[in-house]
Amino acid sequence: MSDHYICLIPAEPDFIPGEESQAAAVALIQKTWNLEKSEITPETDTHIVFRDCGENFESVHCPHCSAEMEIGHWQALMDQSYSDENGFTISTIQTPCCSKSTTLNDLCYKWPMGFSRFVLRTVDPGYEISDYLLIELESAIGSELRVIHQMY
């Protein structure tokens, strides 16, 4: 049986909310989904980390022309942007399809994935995050959030 999680990450990879903001977001999820506090984990990493969707991964697309990116090319870009000492650097890349500038974080991932230093991870309650809850969480955290559904 697979494990399912929902990860909420700031749209800006370097953004880290304060402890009060993190606690407010945890309390919102706890109240809305009736979860135990131990089922909701705020994590802050020293460096930018790639937050994948696990078995949900399907494809990577250009944010400009929507062309699907070859996985080997995407993996090479990921390798170039990563070091054991510094994690990922979010620098400008050129898309192979239309030669426009973007970043690894701004590529269109099916299912959503992204990069961050902060993540709020919770067990999947079995239903979608409502627009209202997402707005409330973004207000509590102080940043636009990206929702990642992980399955392992």
Side-chain angles (χ1 to χ4, degrees):
M1 182 158 172
S2 296
D3 292 324
H4 299 257
Y5 302 94
I6 294 177
C7 294
L8 300 158
I9 63 171
E12 185 59 43
D14 273 322
F15 180 81
I16 299 171
E19 288 183 24
E20 287 182 16
S21 296
Q22 292 178 32
V26 168
L28 271 169
I29 292 172
Q30 204 175 357
K31 180 181 174 187
T32 304
W33 288 340
N34 197 28
L35 295 176
E36 298 294 322
K37 191 171 183 178
S38 62
E39 296 176 299
I40 309 163
T41 310
E43 300 171 17
T44 301
D45 291 287
T46 307
H47 304 293
I48 294 173
V49 175
F50 178 57
R51 312 294 178 177
D52 66 275
C53 61
E55 295 173 24
N56 287 330
F57 178 79
E58 291 182 22
S59 57
V60 181
H61 296 262
C62 174
H64 302 290
C65 71
S66 299
E68 187 169 347
M69 185 178 286
E70 181 184 300
I71 297 303
H73 183 78
W74 172 71
Q75 288 172 331
L77 290 170
M78 294 283 284
D79 288 345
Q80 292 168 13
S81 298
Y82 179 80
S83 78
D84 289 334
E85 297 165 358
N86 300 315
F88 281 94
T89 55
I90 305 300
S91 55
T92 302
I93 60 169
Q94 296 296 314
T95 60
C97 44
C98 61
S99 299
K100 292 191 177 176
S101 297
T102 192
T103 67
L104 288 171
N105 194 51
D106 293 325
L107 293 173
C108 297
Y109 296 98
K110 190 171 179 185
W111 291 50
M113 299 189 283
F115 297 79
S116 72
R117 288 189 54 208
F118 174 78
V119 61
L120 183 58
R121 180 174 290 122
T122 182
V123 296
D124 189 340
Y127 43 83
E128 290 297 316
I129 293 178
S130 69
D131 291 342
Y132 177 77
L133 177 57
L134 184 58
I135 290 167
E136 291 291 309
L137 288 168
E138 289 175 338
S139 178
I141 293 290
S143 170
E144 182 180 332
L145 296 172
R146 187 176 291 184
V147 180
I148 300 170
H149 293 269
Q150 293 181 322
M151 184 171 70
Y152 298 106

